[in-house]
Amino acid sequence: MPDTKKFIENLSGAGKCIGVLTSGGDAQGMNAAVRAVVRMGIYVGAKVYFIHEGYQGMVDGGDNIKEASWESVSSMLQVGGTVIGSARCKDFRTHEGRLRAALNLVQRGITNLCVIGGDGSLTGANLFREEWSGLLDELVQSGEISEEASQIHSALHIVGMVGSIDNDFCGTDMTIGTDSALHRIIEVVDAIMTTAQSHQRTFVLEVMGRHCGYLALVSALACGADWVLIPEMPPKDGWEEQMCYKLSESRLRGSRLNIIIVAEGATDRHGNPISSNAVKELVVRCLGFDTRVTILGHVQRGGTPSAFDRILASRMGVEAVLALLEASPGTPACVVSLCGNQAVRVPLMECVQMTQEVQKAMDEKRFEEAVRLRGRSFENNLNTYKLLSHRKIDSELPHSSFNVAVLNVGAPAAGMNAAVRSAVRVGITEGHTMFAVSDGFEGFYKGQIKEIKWGDVGGWTGQGGSLLGTKRTLPAKHIDKIAEQMRIHNINALLVIGGFEAYLGLMELQAARSKHAELCVPMVMVPATVSNNIPGSDLSIGADTALNAITDTCDRIKQSASGTKRRVFIIETMGGYCGYLATVGGLAAGADAAYIYEEPFDIRELQSNVEHLTEKMKTSIQRGLVLRNENCSENYTTDFIYQLYNEEGKGVFDCRKNVLGHMQQGGAPSPFDRNFGTKIAAKAMQWISKKLKEFYREGRVFANTEDSACLLGMRRRALVFQPVIQLKDETDFVHRIPKEQWWLRLRPLMKILAKYKTSYDVSDSGQLEHIVRLRAKDISAI
């Protein structure tokens, strides 16, 4: 069978010219996308041009269209907004304006455009493409270009990337800038919560989102807001009384603050706007609570991009260049989008039409359909929020008579508390009695188990570390005592939130079922570890927060290195033997190299890295950043690499080293980890409820099948329950890592963007997926 693999080495951009522009509202991460397009374009031999000030620059021409160099995009990665400028352009809306733009492109030989913007910008680009041959004919007739030039530049290829903080574009799970905007919102909410608590205040926060409630909804989910108002799902008539009842009820249960989040485009069922001031006046009038309004405004667009946005934009930028290289005259304009953790290409106009359908459904008051059209990710966020925020009165709750225990195992990871809160509240809503186990399996065998109520987990989402307490102790040695505690407390199901020890622990509990009937209950594990080294899951709770900690520190270190010039920093990251943090952190921070266990290296590679940095010091970028995973090599330690670089770089650059250590496990969880932890734990609890019903026989729960001890992991595009026993073959138990890891495919990207020649398998790229198929595949996505 012929080898169908496709490699970057076989794709050439020689003779091609690519124009890159940012248009519409700015979004953090746009610069990372521009940097990736420029460097990937130059890497494959194409010429890349900056088009400054969006479409206005394309129309005006002149110095607005400049050739980009490798160095010209240095230090852009960590800068918010867009360095090449963006402008709303009236001229481009006119035929005359587009004619001038076409002339400016043809004069420079640009027939490939990479447009980073919202749906308006991308629709404009598509119209331009459709008119292209007609515009060239006009230019030939007026004598401004030759017939020959018209033939050479006969087709215009367009690839879009969506840069929008609102996440309002259908066809992609996340748009560039959304995660960073959530970071800004959550930073503000966390700060406001401390002052609100001091004065027993209610805060009404207004966030951006004129037509899309994504930011409001996800930030409400991430901070455990009491009420949220979004345009896609206006509240039912009589919501005012309901909201006030909810607020007063939470105060009666001992809460000292209330948070209400309002999207700027929120309306009631009849299309009347609901402003943040109107909500404040309502609370003051009905409840007399001390209430304040905070309008976040353009703060949400500002600041440095998050690690997620940098990686997303870098991956999309590289994919966009590949799409342009492979485009033929008949290829429709496409958008590079994200589905699960995969980059895919979707026809641009299908996405635009679907996005317009949402607005149409909202205008026609078909709100359920508007939510459905936004996609499964949005729908799941909304359903999870409803599940967690509206506590039913005890008489309304189903009563299951089942006891479910939840515990944290392994090292602390930011987002664990959000997962515990979610599990406890969903469990109570499902009618179970929830028990919290302190200090992992150690606390379990010592009997540190107590009932945990709805109000006990209030305010937990934003807390770092593990409030339940967590230990690395494994259960095997204490199995008799654990079984006894299960019997004493009549535990009918277990939810374990943790890292590799949790995975091993679940296997040990399952193996002991033959000796202890008490362990024959449904058990599920949710992965939570900064190392992201759990088989069966592409991502784990805590890894995103750790990546942001690494990226923030690297930004500061790069700044220091830029000031002193000719300096290389060696930075050691955590992760055990798993190189996820070093690799993905390296991609987000713009590192020159990242040493990991999974990709063995020798002295020759170290030497070539030193030579590469020596060459770099001759350019205008006189600094270097090298990441090293803590266990990447027994002998090439951080000290060894530091000393080697110091010696070999003598007279050219000097070296500094930095061990990041436990700061990677600490800090408030990122919005992604809060959200991921909340949704994955809610799904785990719903699975437990289903299994409890399934295994309830003759007055007791008895579960002894393989599929009653599962790991819930994110696989490519969906959350999947996998029996732990079946994951054994996928695990390297000696090094505590999965045998296959998806993120290794990102390593060539990091090398290319750092100017290394490398082999890059692009076989996964190139399939144009249709948005309807995406929806079908998205069925169980988070």
Side-chain angles (χ1 to χ4, degrees), residues 76-273:
M76 275 170 77
L77 195 58
Q78 61 268 32
V79 180
T82 164
V83 170
I84 59 173
S86 178
R88 313 270 179 196
C89 177
K90 284 183 183 158
D91 293 346
F92 194 75
R93 292 170 189 261
T94 66
H95 184 75
E96 182 53 40
R98 291 193 291 276
L99 193 65
R100 276 165 44 211
L103 175 63
N104 288 326
L105 294 186
V106 171
Q107 283 172 344
R108 292 163 179 80
I110 300 170
T111 53
N112 298 282
L113 274 187
C114 185
V115 182
I116 307 161
D119 61 339
S121 310
L122 299 179
T123 310
N126 194 60
L127 173 65
F128 190 41
R129 177 180 162 275
E130 285 170 353
E131 288 182 353
W132 183 254
S133 57
L135 293 170
L136 294 197
D137 291 344
E138 279 184 60
L139 291 169
V140 170
Q141 280 161 16
S142 64
E144 289 181 85
I145 63 168
S146 66
E147 183 64 51
E148 188 190 359
S150 165
Q151 294 299 317
I152 295 167
H153 306 106
S154 61
L156 178 69
H157 303 300
I158 284 176
V159 174
M161 284 184 268
V162 192
S164 159
I165 65 164
D166 292 338
N167 203 27
D168 56 356
F169 194 80
C170 295
T172 184
D173 284 359
M174 284 291 262
T175 58
I176 295 166
T178 305
D179 188 65
S180 302
L182 285 170
H183 272 259
R184 297 300 89 81
I185 295 168
I186 293 304
E187 282 160 15
V188 170
V189 174
D190 285 354
I192 277 175
M193 275 180 151
T194 55
T195 175
Q197 206 138 17
S198 307
H199 297 276
Q200 297 199 39
R201 279 188 179 139
T202 296
F203 268 85
V204 182
L205 266 85
E206 185 182 298
V207 301
M208 280 185 171
R210 201 167 302 131
H211 305 292
C212 178
Y214 186 89
L215 289 178
L217 176 58
V218 175
S219 51
L221 197 57
C223 73
D226 295 279
W227 201 267
V228 65
L229 293 158
I230 57 171
E232 289 87 347
M233 189 50 77
K236 293 186 169 70
D237 290 344
W239 64 273
E240 296 91 342
E241 291 79 26
Q242 254 188 310
M243 184 184 80
C244 290
Y245 172 73
K246 169 99 196 300
L247 299 181
S248 64
E249 191 209 26
S250 89
R251 288 290 176 99
L252 286 170
R253 281 204 315 272
S255 172
R256 291 178 59 86
L257 77 157
N258 301 111
I259 301 277
I260 301 162
I261 295 183
V262 184
E264 62 179 330
T267 64
D268 65 16
R269 292 260 151 178
H270 311 290
N272 305 311

Side-chain angles (χ1 to χ4, degrees), residues 419-733:
V420 172
R421 168 187 175 268
S422 173
V424 167
R425 292 197 169 176
V426 173
I428 291 168
T429 305
E430 305 259 314
H432 311 315
T433 304
M434 298 299 296
F435 285 86
V437 181
S438 301
D439 300 338
F441 288 118
E442 191 172 307
F444 210 141
Y445 82 80
K446 288 178 177 171
Q448 295 169 1
I449 303 164
K450 62 176 193 304
E451 191 182 340
I452 187 163
K453 299 257 180 30
W454 185 280
D456 297 337
V457 289
W460 277 33
T461 38
Q463 304 267 5
S466 164
L467 292 170
L468 286 186
T470 182
K471 288 270 172 73
R472 291 179 182 270
T473 314
L474 290 171
K477 288 179 185 167
H478 314 284
I479 215 85
D480 297 350
K481 287 180 181 171
I482 288 173
E484 189 187 341
Q485 291 298 333
M486 295 274 287
R487 184 180 51 74
I488 292 167
H489 295 277
N490 189 25
I491 304 294
N492 308 115
L494 271 186
L495 170 61
V496 185
I497 300 163
F500 207 83
E501 286 85 2
Y503 170 64
L504 294 174
L506 213 60
M507 283 184 169
E508 290 180 3
L509 292 178
Q510 191 177 21
R513 277 175 167 178
S514 54
K515 291 198 182 98
H516 300 279
E518 294 89 345
L519 301 174
C520 295
V521 297
M523 304 174 189
V524 64
M525 174 197 161
V526 167
T529 165
V530 299
S531 304
N532 196 28
N533 63 334
I534 307 298
S537 193
D538 293 350
L539 290 172
S540 57
I541 299 164
D544 184 69
T545 306
L547 271 182
N548 277 294
I550 292 167
T551 309
D552 289 350
T553 310
C554 287
D555 285 352
R556 292 177 189 193
I557 285 169
K558 272 168 82 175
Q559 210 169 28
S560 151
S562 296
T564 46
K565 299 272 190 297
R566 298 179 179 277
R567 182 161 283 176
V568 175
F569 274 87
I570 317 284
I571 296 172
E572 184 186 298
T573 67
M574 276 183 157
Y577 285 93
C578 178
Y580 175 82
L581 290 179
T583 298
V584 184
L587 185 59
D592 295 282
Y595 300 119
I596 61 167
Y597 166 78
E598 292 89 343
E599 203 173 271
F601 57 97
D602 56 19
I603 197 74
R604 283 179 293 278
E605 188 169 337
L606 290 170
Q607 183 63 37
S608 99
N609 290 152
V610 172
E611 286 162 9
H612 187 271
L613 283 164
T614 305
E615 284 304 304
K616 188 179 174 182
M617 294 299 159
K618 293 174 187 170
T619 71
S620 58
I621 322 168
Q622 296 182 341
R623 55 170 165 67
L625 188 68
V626 174
L627 269 61
R628 179 192 175 274
N629 161 265
E630 59 184 349
N631 288 345
C632 65
S633 165
E634 203 178 327
N635 297 310
Y636 298 139
T637 61
T638 302
D639 282 336
F640 176 89
I641 293 172
Y642 163 69
Q643 284 162 358
L644 177 82
Y645 271 61
N646 237 347
E647 183 61 34
E648 295 294 317
K650 252 187 194 151
V652 183
F653 58 79
D654 67 350
C655 248
R656 294 287 185 275
K657 64 175 177 185
N658 207 317
V659 177
L660 298 185
H662 283 76
M663 62 165 283
Q664 295 160 84
Q665 280 181 2
S670 67
F672 181 90
D673 278 330
R674 296 180 194 201
N675 196 357
F676 183 48
T678 298
K679 285 197 284 190
I680 197 169
K683 198 171 173 99
M685 275 312 301
Q686 287 169 323
W687 177 88
I688 282 177
S689 294
K690 195 174 104 220
K691 291 290 173 193
L692 283 168
K693 289 188 189 97
E694 203 179 298
F695 292 112
Y696 187 67
R697 296 275 181 281
E698 295 162 15
R700 75 182 192 121
V701 174
F702 187 81
N704 200 14
T705 55
E706 276 187 11
D707 69 349
S708 63
C710 279
L711 179 143
L712 173 56
M714 186 185 174
R715 279 271 166 111
R716 289 168 86 93
R717 299 179 175 185
L719 284 172
V720 191
F721 289 94
Q722 304 141 98
V724 283
I725 206 95
Q726 289 174 20
L727 293 171
K728 257 187 175 169
D729 295 340
E730 294 180 29
T731 311
D732 170 354
F733 285 100

